[in-house]
Each structure stands twice: as structure tokens, then as C-alpha cells.
Amino acid sequence: MKLATLKDGTRDGKLVVVSKDLTRYCAADNIAPTLQAALDNWDEIAPKLEALYTDVEHQAVPTERFHEREAHSPLPRAYQWADGSAYINHVELVRKARGAEVPESFYHDPLMYQGGSDNFLAPRDDIPLKDTKWGCDMEGEIAVVTDDVPMGVTSEQAADHIKLVMLVNDVSLRGLIPGELAKGFGFFQSKPASAFSPVAVTPDELGDAWKGSVIHLPLMVDYNGKAFGRANAGVDATFSLADLVAHAAKTRDLGAGTIIGSGTVSNQGPEGDPGKPVAEGGLGYSCIAEIRMIETIADGEAKTRFMAPGDTVRVEMKDAEGHSIFGAIEQKVVEA
Amino acid sequence: MKLATLKDGTRDGKLVVVSKDLTRYCAADNIAPTLQAALDNWDEIAPKLEALYTDVEHQAVPTERFHEREAHSPLPRAYQWADGSAYINHVELVRKARGAEVPESFYHDPLMYQGGSDNFLAPRDDIPLKDTKWGCDMEGEIAVVTDDVPMGVTSEQAADHIKLVMLVNDVSLRGLIPGELAKGFGFFQSKPASAFSPVAVTPDELGDAWKGSVIHLPLMVDYNGKAFGRANAGVDATFSLADLVAHAAKTRDLGAGTIIGSGTVSNQGPEGDPGKPVAEGGLGYSCIAEIRMIETIADGEAKTRFMAPGDTVRVEMKDAEGHSIFGAIEQKVVEA
């Protein structure tokens, strides 16, 4: 099924069930007022939402026109957002650009940071930026939402705790990252509010494209109206989303509604080619930092600048038939 | 006023107003069902809770016996928990023990990490530990809860956004920290669920002890039934809690119910003495890592081991008259 949260003036919005083609919705707040409430009691609530989804698909209930611009992030705020690095190619490029090796451990022990989850942006909200020197960047990623996950689960067990899948634009302030990482405590100011896709879907909606807790489809990232990234999320994933959930649960239980991200989707390209613009037949990039690294490796310096007020980003994923699965994240950077 | 959240079988518990002496409570769920709900609409809700508090104090409403053991953490789960390092002495000791300098920037740019907030322990919950090699430690700290904080506030403005104050035991797995910090993305597995004091209080409850957004009182940490730490939270605070809130809000808004921690309370002691056991007239330590650092500096190696199943920790703070302000965090480590 497909779920969304409509803006209704409250902090947590209103839960709705959305038709597979994203054109219609039916309010589900009589089943659970919010998506968090549904996740808090998923085993009991999900079958009721599924039944409503069937009715929506069969036009057996009245529905209204679904507008992606009216949607919040599916969880407008969450109790946990942790972002991993499944696509080590991204990390390899970062390191290569500064002449550093990737530690061997990165291939079996995922990188993961704890992100802020108190105030997500809606998928069509502007990205407020106070200072262009902060180096604003997008990161196109996949994210999953779990129910309650007990401490110490295996990857296989973790897979069963993945209840919903969505896309995320993990906004990053590249200019603030080196200073913060040098302090040793990880990202904080360098990771302002992220935005998620208008719709979250259950893994079964992905059909054959959901295999081994990875989506085997290209992530479409457009920048200022042009194709920028088409990396396939099913290629070069060193870790699955289930691996990342298990990593997060190693020393503690995870509460229902925990969001775990894949990190920037990034492919090696043919014959280890680290990347080529989409316009030149390459797979492109899911973030600006990556094209800057390619430029640095090739020419000794980065030419593409980071985002400034007026720049736009679009993140979407389409199924084999070319239909949008999650709706599109569409954001513009504005002066804060 | 003093507020608590009683365990009632739900994830977010039931909001109650507690008498100043912590002996009685009156349910406040007719005013706001949960503490988060109160914080979401604080300007409207707080005066009603204050009025009820006055009635509780005057015995003008029926009350019931308050038992600290029946309390959740005031926010059993939160949308944000970020922990700073106000007491640089703690950082200085860590560095000194390994022969490293403290960067000058640490004295004006606070350390802060984003913590997990999906599943806090209750103040009397056991601390589940899977492996003693993980090096389980307590960290006695002060924490504040904010309402909505706009991006870019100054420290002075941030002070007005501090709505509640409480204590926290920030559980840390010291054995996992070096590996995680070496990866560069900060703490994750090394910071399992924390526990907060049974009661959260408005700053005015602290009277003269709340000055410059710092509490000028000793933090009492007992370990296995013996006095372990008596560091004064008003001494050697390089940053106030308002400074830390402003730091957190530099690049993003903070949502209502954001919890910001002070980091381990730590004093330099007389004449820069880095610490001495309470039994020997010193101020002791608010975490085991610190006594281990003192031992390492003095003797080249740490003798005190980290916590193992059966070990207990107690964190409390008393006012000038010797009355407990927040109730006590009392936890025992158990095998997970």
C-alpha cells in the first residue's frame, strides 16, 4: 500500500491512503490519526490500512484528488533518523579526492550517523539557507521505516522490521563538515532538516525491484531542471537496508517509526569509471559533492559550485513501467 | 512547577503535576495528555499546568502519592536529544590521559553530538548490557527541554526557550567509542538509551541556583551505594545550557520538546587538581572514564573497571535545604 501525510495545520499532519498511481487519496485518520500512531501499533493497524488501500484501488470508497504539494514528509517529525553509507563508492570518491585510502573495515562495518528528526522539511518545502559559504548540497537516498526492533537482531531478522520505504533528500552543509568531523563528534550543524518523498510505500509495492532489502531501480536526481543523477540503487550497495537496521540495533532497541537511510546512492559506472554526467551517457551523481570530487580527481580542482538561493533539486524513482513510485521531492534553496 | 510522566502502559505515558516535595501528584492529562503535547503548545498549556501546580501545593485538589519508581523519563521518547560538552575539564582529562592537547576552538565552539531519542530508559529501569567488553559507563549530566527554537537564535534568546530542566544518565559504551570516532561519523552504537530524572522542573523552581542558564548546585552521583561524584554544575561550565541550545540552532529550527544536555559535569577541583575521590574530600567524578583517566595520568594505567551486571548508579541533585529537586535516577546494569 501507499501512505501519505497531508498538511492540516498540525505538527504531525493527517494520515491518508494514496492510490497506486498517486492520483487519489482517502483519509485514514479514522484508522490511525497519524503515521506514527499507525507504526506504534502496526500489526493491528496495517491490515486495516491495507483493506482501505484495496478499496481505494477498486474505487469502492470515495476519494479525493491527491496533490503531492499538499503532503508533509510521511513522518513530519520522527523519534529517530539515522543515515548509513551503503554505497561505498561515494566514500571511495571522497577519500580519493583527498588522496586517502578507504579503511578495509568500511566494507563490513557500515558508517552511520544519528540525524536530527525533530523537524523534517515537507517534500516541496524550500531549503532555508543562511550562508552560501556553508556549501549547501542535496543527497538523494533511499530510506526505510521500521516498527519496534529488538537489540541485537540479525540482518535477516531486521528485514522483517522494514515496514515502509521512501526517498529522502538529506540536505548537507559541506562547508561545515570538515570542521565538525575534525572535532570528532560527527555531524550536527552540517546536517540541517531533510525532506522525504510525498509517499511512503510498503516493500511489496516495489515487486521484484525489492530484493535483498535493496531497491533495484535508478534514483532520478534532477538539478535545476536537468538530469543530474541516474545511479541504480540496486548496484554497488555494499550494505542492504536490513544490514543498516541491524547495525543501528546492535546495542539498543529501536523504537517504532525509526527511519534508516541508505546514504547517497552512488554507482561505480562501467569498468570502475567513477562517474560521468548523465548528458554524456553516464549515471551522474546524487549529490554535488560527488561531481566536485570527480572534477578534483580529473583536474585538480572542483568547478561545480554548491547550491545557492534559486537552485532546485528533484528526487524521484520510477517503476519499470515509468510510473512514479513515491512522488517527487522538489525543493528550491532560499535565503533564510 | 514540577512535572512527571507516569507509566500507564502507553509509549508516552501520562502527564502529572508533582508537588514541590515530590510526595504527591495530580493527573494533568485533562490539560495535556502527554508532556510532548504540552510542549507542542506550551504558551497555552503551561499557565494551566502552573495553576494546577498551585492547587497541588495548596492541597486545593485531590492528589495521590507520587512514587519515583512509577515514573517514565519525563519524555519517554523525544524528537530530539543532543548532548554538548559544557564542562571542558572532562575533555581536558580525556586528552591529557592520552597525551593530546585540547584544541583552542573547544573553548568557544562547543562539542555536541546527536543522540538517539526513540526509546529512553525510565529513571529506575535497568541498563541492559550485552557484553561487558563494551565498557559500560554512566555520565551524570544536566539537560534542558525547549519549545520551538528558530534557526540562528543568540544565547540570550535561547535562554528564553528553555522550558524545563532535568537530570540525565547518558549511558556510554566506552569500549565502542574509539572505533566509532575513528570512523569519523560520531557516536552511534556507543550511545545506547539514556535515562532522565523522574521529574522535570521549570527553571524558576531552581531559584537563585539557576543563574546564566547553569545550575549552581552539586550533582550527586553515587556508584554501588557510595558517594562517587559531587561536582558542582555551576563551576567550570565553559558553556551555559543556553549557549548549547544556540549552538544546536545555528543551521536549523529546533522542534518543541528538543532535549539538550550539558555533557558530563566535571570540576577542576582546587588549584587545578584534576580530581580526587569524594571519600578523600575531593569532588569525585560523574563518570567512570574520568577516574580511569586520573588513574592513567597518575599511574600509567586505569584500575577502576567499567560497569558490569549488578553495578548500580544513582544521580540526584538537592537544593540548598537538602531536598531532592528532580527525584533520583537509580539504575542497575543487567545482562541483556
Side-chain angles (χ1 to χ4, degrees), chain A residues 11 110 118 148 189 247 251 255, chain B residues 11 110 118 148 183 189 251 255:
Chain A
R11 291 176 187 263
D118 54 315
D148 289 297
Q189 294 176 335
H247 180 84
T251 60
Chain B
R11 291 176 187 265
D118 55 316
D148 289 297
K183 287 163 70 182
Q189 293 176 336
T251 61

Side-chain angles (χ1 to χ4, degrees), chain B residues 248-260:
Chain B
K250 183 181 171 187
T251 61
R252 47 166 150 144
D253 301 335
L254 307 180
T258 287
I259 307 172
I260 303 286

Side-chain angles (χ1 to χ4, degrees), chain A residues 81 83 90 113 121 123 125 127 129 134-142 168-175 177 190-195 219-230 263-266 278 284-293 304-308 310-316 329-333:
Chain A
W81 155 233
D83 200 8
H90 176 76
Y113 74 89
L121 298 175
D125 278 358
I127 300 169
L129 181 64
W134 290 351
C136 185
D137 199 358
M138 80 284 252
E139 293 194 27
E141 311 186 6
I142 316 297
V168 52
N169 175 18
D170 178 42
V171 180
S172 296
L173 300 174
R174 302 290 184 191
I177 289 180
S190 51
K191 292 283 184 180
S194 293
L219 183 69
M220 306 168 67
V221 179
D222 291 358
Y223 183 45
N224 289 331
K226 292 196 184 111
F228 186 75
R230 294 294 182 266
T264 309
V265 178
S266 179
V278 177
Y285 323 93
S286 304
C287 67
I288 293 173
E290 216 163 282
I291 188 171
R292 287 171 57 88
M293 293 183 262
T304 306
R305 64 161 174 76
F306 288 115
M307 297 173 87
D311 286 329
T312 62
V313 57
R314 188 173 203 277
V315 183
E316 194 175 17
I329 298 170
E330 281 185 16
Q331 298 186 275
K332 184 166 78 177
V333 176

Side-chain angles (χ1 to χ4, degrees), chain B residues 4 23 30 47 54 60 66 100 107 109 115 117 136 154 165-166 200 241 256 271:
Chain B
T23 60
N30 57 327
T54 304
F66 178 68
Y107 295 94
D109 180 29
S117 54
C136 185
T154 63
V165 186
M166 51 195 186
L241 286 149
E271 288 125 50

Side-chain angles (χ1 to χ4, degrees), chain B residues 135-204:
Chain B
C136 185
D137 199 358
M138 81 284 252
E139 293 194 26
E141 311 187 7
I142 316 297
V144 295
V145 185
T146 72
D147 62 358
D148 289 297
V149 182
M151 189 190 310
V153 288
T154 63
S155 267
E156 267 163 34
Q157 291 165 337
D160 290 334
H161 291 284
I162 294 175
K163 299 306 172 190
L164 296 169
V165 186
M166 51 195 186
L167 307 180
V168 52
N169 175 18
D170 178 41
V171 180
S172 296
L173 300 174
R174 302 289 184 191
L176 301 181
I177 289 180
E180 283 206 312
L181 295 198
K183 287 163 70 182
F185 272 29
F187 308 100
F188 194 94
Q189 293 176 336
S190 51
K191 291 284 184 180
S194 292
F196 294 81
S197 51
V199 172
V201 312
T202 46
D204 62 303

Side-chain angles (χ1 to χ4, degrees), chain B residues 14-62:
Chain B
K14 184 173 85 161
L15 180 64
V16 303
V17 166
V18 181
S19 63
K20 194 179 191 68
D21 65 2
L22 308 182
T23 60
R24 297 170 300 113
Y25 78 87
C26 181
D29 53 342
N30 57 327
I31 299 172
T34 64
L35 182 53
Q36 182 64 49
L39 289 157
D40 282 347
N41 198 9
W42 189 252
D43 286 349
E44 189 194 317
I45 299 293
K48 296 178 187 171
L49 294 173
E50 291 278 7
L52 180 57
Y53 181 62
T54 304
D55 285 349
V56 166
E57 283 303 288
H58 293 168
Q59 313 225 14
V61 285

Side-chain angles (χ1 to χ4, degrees), chain A residues 196-213:
Chain A
F196 294 81
S197 51
V199 172
V201 312
T202 46
D204 61 305
E205 283 292 330
L206 298 163
D208 290 346
W210 181 251
K211 230 173 6 218
S213 298

